[in-house]
Amino acid sequence: MKNHPASVGAVLAIVGSLFGTSTFAQNISETVDSHLIAARTAAGSDFLGTLARLCIAPVAVPATQRDVAPGPAPARDTWFIEPAKVFDNLYFVGSKIHSSWALKTSEGILLIDTLFTYNSEEEIVGGLKKLGLDPATVKYVIISHAHGDHVGGAKMMQDRFGSRIVMGGPDWDSIEKSVNGYPQGKPKRDIVADDGQKITLGDTTVTIVTTPGHTPGTLSMLFTVKDNGKPINVAYSGGTAFNFPSTGPNFDTYIRSQAKMAAAAAAANATILMSNHTEFDSAVPKIKMLALRKPGEPHTFDIGKEAVARYFTVTGECAQAARLKLTQLPK
Ligand SMILES: [Zn+2]
């Protein structure tokens, strides 16, 4: 982020109110608009779901976050979807709304995210079995962040299969502090992820990139998948929406993490962008379209390095717009 536009906006707002002119206010709203336009341009037709959630419908979140019990499980047909093999070594065992990815290695499975408590059994354990994979061979589970829609099956994987659970330190802390969030029990603190840490299983390595913002311990990742033997690099973004307390410092942290992950993705030559919510990376239609792929056509997830970079422009610019709007709220 350059030139701290939010602080400039705050100063202009004060100056504007002192002099009672409307010119300054207009300049500020143009700046918010300029971030929204930059995000819209970057989104193109690739990231409309991300744009809609972050730029069009963000909601202000109070400073005190609630520690609530999970709600009742919604109807199965709102979330159930069949599992799928997506690359030579990567399998989707998620729901219609959330991703869980199984990365198959020479020494077992590395799983990324575990959905809700209510659907992890059927989608992950059931899904792996349907795909001919053994859930007992899941050696590592990396949790993108400790919200109920990603960490819900971690305790099951730990208890039933002895999978090692990898999570950001602040998110382990939030689980331990939670009073109401885990009525069916909490996963026990296991591996605390560090920035740059490499989780290696057999022939496969996942590199952790810490991207605090969505939660303080959010983890993003870099890894390589194979498409008919051809290696393709993946940038996996571990936290997206602005449902953290709406403060300037929290947005600054989020914005810094988007720039950090954009740089990491570029350095890794990532041409695939994956998210943990299917609305952000269009995983469900991309999986469906795979069936229509003709020989020689690119994989539906392989969008190119330039498009991967645009994703992080969308998240960063929408955050800058939301950050700047904070300074314009009535005092
Ligand atoms: Zn979340």
Side-chain angles (χ1 to χ4, degrees):
M1 189 176 92
K2 298 179 216 91
N3 301 330
H4 305 286
S7 338
V8 173
V11 171
L12 288 176
I14 293 162
V15 173
S17 65
L18 283 176
F19 290 90
T21 63
S22 61
T23 323
F24 289 100
Q26 203 169 356
N27 286 342
I28 294 162
S29 75
E30 279 169 15
T31 310
V32 169
D33 285 349
S34 71
H35 288 302
L36 296 177
I37 289 164
R40 189 184 65 192
T41 304
S45 58
D46 296 296
F47 304 116
L48 290 173
T50 310
L51 183 75
R53 173 74 91 87
L54 299 189
C55 264
I56 297 167
V59 286
V61 178
T64 317
Q65 286 209 298
R66 298 176 309 149
D67 176 30
V68 293
R76 182 176 178 278
D77 64 2
T78 63
W79 53 263
F80 180 79
I81 192 168
E82 292 290 346
K85 180 172 185 176
V86 177
F87 286 94
D88 303 359
N89 59 337
L90 189 71
Y91 300 77
F92 182 84
V93 287
S95 71
K96 283 178 185 166
I97 302 154
H98 298 93
S99 302
S100 175
W101 289 103
L103 190 54
K104 191 181 169 199
T105 81
S106 58
E107 308 256 323
I109 294 168
L110 206 154
L111 188 77
I112 302 173
D113 267 9
T114 60
L115 313 176
F116 284 103
T117 304
Y118 64 76
N119 62 1
S120 49
E121 167 92 44
E122 181 168 10
E123 295 280 29
I124 297 174
V125 178
L128 289 172
K129 286 179 183 166
K130 278 184 190 172
L131 294 165
L133 301 168
D134 180 1
T137 66
V138 175
K139 299 289 196 295
Y140 289 104
V141 176
I142 307 178
I143 301 292
S144 62
H145 65 271
H147 282 161
D149 47 349
H150 306 287
V151 74
K155 177 179 163 54
M156 171 187 71
M157 297 304 295
Q158 188 174 57
D159 290 353
R160 199 182 301 174
F161 305 116
S163 311
R164 301 294 309 271
I165 312 292
V166 183
M167 205 174 340
D171 284 24
W172 278 119
D173 295 344
S174 79
I175 290 176
E176 284 170 2
K177 272 188 231 142
S178 173
V179 176
N180 305 314
Y182 299 86
Q184 296 180 59
K186 303 174 179 183
K188 289 187 290 293
R189 182 183 284 257
D190 192 6
I191 298 171
V192 178
D194 276 331
D195 192 34
Q197 185 173 358
K198 293 184 187 302
I199 309 289
T200 298
L201 183 60
D203 57 0
T204 304
T205 294
V206 174
T207 303
I208 302 286
V209 182
T210 53
T211 49
H214 179 72
T215 65
T218 293
L219 304 180
S220 294
M221 290 157 231
L222 300 165
F223 53 91
T224 302
V225 293
K226 288 201 172 142
D227 178 34
N228 296 318
K230 178 188 157 199
I232 310 181
N233 300 315
V234 177
Y236 175 100
S237 175
T240 309
F242 303 155
N243 51 340
F244 45 80
S246 301
T247 67
N250 281 350
F251 272 106
D252 290 342
T253 300
Y254 180 100
I255 290 162
R256 274 195 299 274
S257 287
Q258 302 317 299
K260 177 184 179 184
M261 189 56 193
N269 281 313
T271 60
I272 294 175
L273 183 284
M274 283 183 174
S275 168
N276 48 9
H277 284 248
T278 60
E279 72 183 293
F280 299 136
D281 63 2
S282 307
V284 170
K286 279 177 182 163
I287 290 168
K288 282 190 182 147
M289 286 190 294
L290 257 190
L292 307 172
R293 183 187 185 195
K294 297 195 182 74
E297 282 183 353
H299 194 286
T300 52
F301 277 79
D302 190 7
I303 58 176
K305 197 172 172 179
E306 174 269 343
V308 171
R310 284 192 284 108
Y311 175 84
F312 295 103
T313 301
V314 175
T315 54
E317 290 289 342
C318 290
Q320 296 217 38
R323 165 79 165 95
L324 203 46
K325 276 186 208 159
L326 286 182
T327 64
Q328 300 174 355
L329 294 174
K331 297 281 182 300

